[in-house]
Amino acid sequence: MDRYAVVGNPVAHSVSPRIHAIFAAAAGQELRYEKILAEEFVSAADAFFEHGGRGLNVTLPFKQDAFGWVDRVDDAAREAEAVNVVAHDDDGYSGYNTDGIGLVRDLRDNLGLSLNGRRILVLGAGGAVRGVLGPLSRTGADELVVANRTESRARVLRQVFPNIGAASLADVRGAYDLVINGTSAGFAGEVPDIDPQAVRNAFCYDMSYAPGSDTPFCAWSRAHGAAGVSGGLGMLVEQAAETFLLWRGVRPPTAGVVAALDRG
Ligand code: ATR
C-alpha cells in the first residue's frame, strides 16, 4: 500500500490522517497515512522515503527546511519560501505549497465570499502569512494590507509582494470586508490588539482552528460585530484536497468534510 505521512513537531494534534482517510474512501483508493514526530526534518524525510514513502506533508516548524531539501519547487512554494507538500517521483523530490490556494478555495467555494474588489486585512507577518499572500494577492482584491505587531516584518514582505500595504497593528484604521488572522496569538489565548472597528461588519477568518468551538479571534470578532466568522479547518481540508490531487491525480470532494471533522 502507498505510504504517506505528515511530519512536524508537534504533530499529535494533526487532523491530516483523518482528512486523507476520508478522501481515500471517497476516491475508492487505498493508502496509508501516518504522523511522524521529528526532531529534525532532513533525517526524518530521508528515512521516510528510503522506506518507500510516496509523499510527505510538512507542517511546523519544518516548511522552510523542506523548501531547502527538495530538488525543485512550484511557483507557490518559491513565493512562500516554504513547502508543505513533497512528492517523490522518478526525477527526485518535488516541493509544493498548497496553503494559499487552500485558503482562497475555502473563502470562495465553501464560504461563498467574493474577493474581487474587496478590502482585505491580514494580521501577522510570519511564515503562515507569507505562505498565503501570493494566492490572496491574485484574487482581484482592491486592497490587501498586512498588519503586524512588529511593523518591520510586514514591510519586509513588500519586497516579495510589492502590491500589499504594510502597517503596525496600532495603525490599523477603517473598515474591511475580510480580516484574516494569521498570527499565533491564539495559541496563548490572545487576540491581536487592533481597533475593533476593523472587524465590524467584516467577515473574520482565523487561519488556526479550535475543533468544535470559536478561536479567541473568532470569538472576539463576533463580539465586535463581525458579519461572519470561520476557523481554519476548511483551509486545511482544501489544502489537503490539493495535496491529494498532486499525489493521486484526482481531486476528492470536500463538501461535508469540515462538518464531519467538527463532529469528531
Ligand atoms: P508562523 O510561522 O506560525 O507564522 P512566526 O513566524 O513565529 O510563526 O510568526 C508568528 C506571528 O504571530 C508574527 O506575526 C507575530 O508577531 P511579531 O512578528 O510581532 O512577533 C504574531 N504574534 C504572535 N503572538 C502575538 C500576539 N500576542 N499579538 C499579536 N501578534 C502576535
Side-chain angles (χ1 to χ4, degrees):
M1 208 184 286
D2 288 343
R3 278 181 69 207
Y4 299 88
V6 55
V7 58
N9 191 342
V11 78
H13 63 284
S14 173
V15 292
S16 291
R18 289 177 58 207
I19 297 175
H20 282 280
I22 293 171
F23 287 168
Q29 299 197 9
E30 287 199 17
L31 54 86
R32 239 172 85 195
Y33 190 108
E34 59 210 85
K35 298 176 193 177
I36 300 175
L37 175 65
E39 289 305 319
E40 189 259 329
F41 176 74
V42 173
S43 51
D46 283 342
F48 176 72
F49 286 111
E50 268 165 28
H51 290 93
R54 302 284 313 151
L56 259 190
N57 272 139
V58 184
T59 188
L60 297 179
F62 299 131
K63 293 184 187 186
Q64 282 80 15
D65 295 336
F67 177 75
W69 181 81
V70 293
D71 297 310
R72 66 193 79 80
V73 292
D74 72 348
D75 289 345
R78 189 171 303 109
E79 268 177 344
E81 289 186 347
V83 157
N84 75 313
V85 184
V86 179
H88 187 201
D89 50 40
D90 295 342
D91 300 335
Y93 299 103
S94 300
Y96 305 88
N97 194 307
T98 61
D99 288 331
I101 185 71
L103 170 64
V104 170
R105 274 187 177 269
D106 192 34
L107 292 168
R108 273 191 187 147
D109 302 350
N110 300 334
L111 298 166
L113 300 175
S114 140
L115 305 178
N116 195 20
R118 305 296 167 152
R119 299 188 68 202
I120 303 177
L121 173 66
V122 179
L123 306 175
V129 164
R130 184 173 175 136
V132 299
L133 282 180
L136 269 183
S137 69
R138 289 186 283 276
T139 56
D142 197 36
E143 200 179 323
L144 179 59
V145 176
V146 173
N148 196 43
R149 185 172 61 182
T150 312
E151 187 184 352
S152 58
R153 288 186 82 192
R155 279 204 304 268
V156 165
L157 290 174
R158 297 189 63 176
Q159 291 162 12
V160 190
F161 307 99
N163 296 332
I164 65 172
S168 69
L169 294 179
D171 283 341
V172 169
R173 294 274 175 282
Y176 287 87
D177 301 299
L178 172 64
V179 182
I180 299 171
N181 179 32
T183 74
S184 53
F187 295 115
E190 291 171 6
V191 172
D193 190 12
I194 56 166
D195 178 357
Q197 284 302 322
V199 300
R200 214 178 124 73
N201 298 324
F203 192 93
C204 293
Y205 192 95
D206 197 333
M207 283 168 55
S208 59
Y209 70 93
S213 65
D214 276 348
T215 66
F217 175 72
C218 287
W220 181 85
S221 301
R222 219 188 266 282
H224 287 91
V229 302
S230 178
L233 194 53
M235 169 181 176
L236 206 63
V237 169
E238 295 299 329
Q239 165 275 116
E242 293 297 314
T243 302
F244 198 91
L245 173 62
L246 287 166
W247 285 340
R248 310 294 298 182
V250 284
R251 194 175 200 285
T254 55
V257 176
V258 166
L261 292 168
D262 254 341
R263 281 195 300 271

